Amino acid sequence: MLDLHPGSFRGPTYHYFFGLLASTGLRFSEAARLLREDADLEAGMLTIRETKFGKTRIVPLHPSTTLALRRYAAIRDDHPVRRISKYFFTGDLGRALIHANPHFSFILWTRQAGLRQPDERGGPRIHDLRHTFAVRTLLSWYQDGEDIERRLPELSTYLGHNYVSATYWYLTAHPDLLGEAKRRLDARWEVAE
């Protein structure tokens, strides 16, 4: 990813930007509008302001994500124009990310990774990183034997959903999740018999 934009700060920015989306399930707009002051990399917390539903929430980070964001902040702040920017993720001139640029780079990156053909417009989307985060979280809970009904409101809150039903949309018809649900249902039927 870093080599997609040689000589430009876009490569490192998109590398860490997409990594944050994948590791937290943030919405594109939440990460793109993240302010420097709202990234508390000592505490490992992000303050996400004015979300899709006009709310503010605190998003705790995994230590590896915090470490990666510290690396980005160090190279970001190495240049005076970027250092004075109010935005955490910036381009060469310290401005906020423009919606189309990361999307175009994501298409290039997924082509380079072999996830889509050179002439193909379809394929993975940036929003799929959010979906994958939600599915992986739920699969991890299944594998750990967690009570999914009890934990699902936590995932909804973390993702910034107003209702648990909004989170269900991310989790429907995924083969691994359906397999886990079937396994649990079969186990309940065996106990009931």
Side-chain angles (χ1 to χ4, degrees):
M1 182 58 149
L2 294 173
D3 62 343
L4 280 181
H5 302 286
S8 170
F9 192 61
R10 285 182 295 168
T13 295
Y14 298 155
H15 172 83
Y16 290 101
F17 180 77
F18 296 144
L20 179 65
L21 296 179
S23 65
T24 61
L26 289 178
R27 294 177 181 95
F28 178 95
S29 61
E30 293 170 342
R33 290 190 325 239
L34 181 66
L35 300 179
R36 181 70 168 98
E37 67 188 37
D38 290 337
D40 183 345
L41 302 180
E42 293 304 313
M45 301 277 196
L46 301 179
T47 302
I48 307 299
R49 299 184 190 280
E50 297 300 314
T51 66
K52 182 176 178 180
F53 302 105
K55 293 182 179 182
T56 296
R57 72 182 190 281
I58 304 295
V59 173
L61 300 171
H62 188 274
S64 64
T65 304
T66 303
L67 182 61
L69 292 180
R70 281 186 192 142
R71 274 190 234 118
Y72 172 75
I75 59 174
R76 173 203 180 277
D77 293 347
D78 196 36
H79 191 277
V81 172
R82 294 189 301 260
R83 185 174 41 248
I84 63 170
S85 175
K86 69 179 186 175
Y87 295 101
F88 187 77
F89 291 105
T90 73
D92 292 322
L93 302 176
R95 296 187 186 125
L97 300 183
I98 298 169
H99 191 267
N101 292 342
H103 284 279
F104 178 71
S105 290
F106 190 77
I107 290 169
L108 293 177
W109 174 64
T110 54
R111 284 180 181 154
Q112 186 181 60
L115 299 174
R116 74 173 85 214
Q117 297 304 312
D119 58 344
E120 184 180 11
R121 289 289 301 158
R125 302 163 302 141
I126 292 176
H127 189 74
D128 294 335
L129 298 172
R130 181 170 166 84
H131 182 272
T132 300
F133 172 83
V135 169
R136 284 189 175 161
T137 299
L138 195 62
L139 281 172
S140 168
W141 289 346
Y142 268 119
Q143 292 162 357
D144 292 344
E146 297 280 347
D147 180 347
I148 302 302
E149 271 186 67
R150 185 182 61 76
R151 299 284 316 260
L152 202 54
E154 294 173 36
L155 181 58
S156 291
T157 300
Y158 190 88
L159 291 171
H161 290 152
N162 282 340
Y163 305 101
V164 173
S165 59
T167 307
Y168 282 122
W169 181 84
Y170 286 97
L171 311 175
T172 57
H174 189 279
D176 294 337
L177 291 176
L178 292 173
E180 286 293 333
K182 179 188 177 305
R183 187 182 60 74
R184 285 197 176 190
L185 187 59
D186 287 347
R188 283 190 182 171
W189 281 102
E190 287 174 14
V191 170
E193 292 183 276

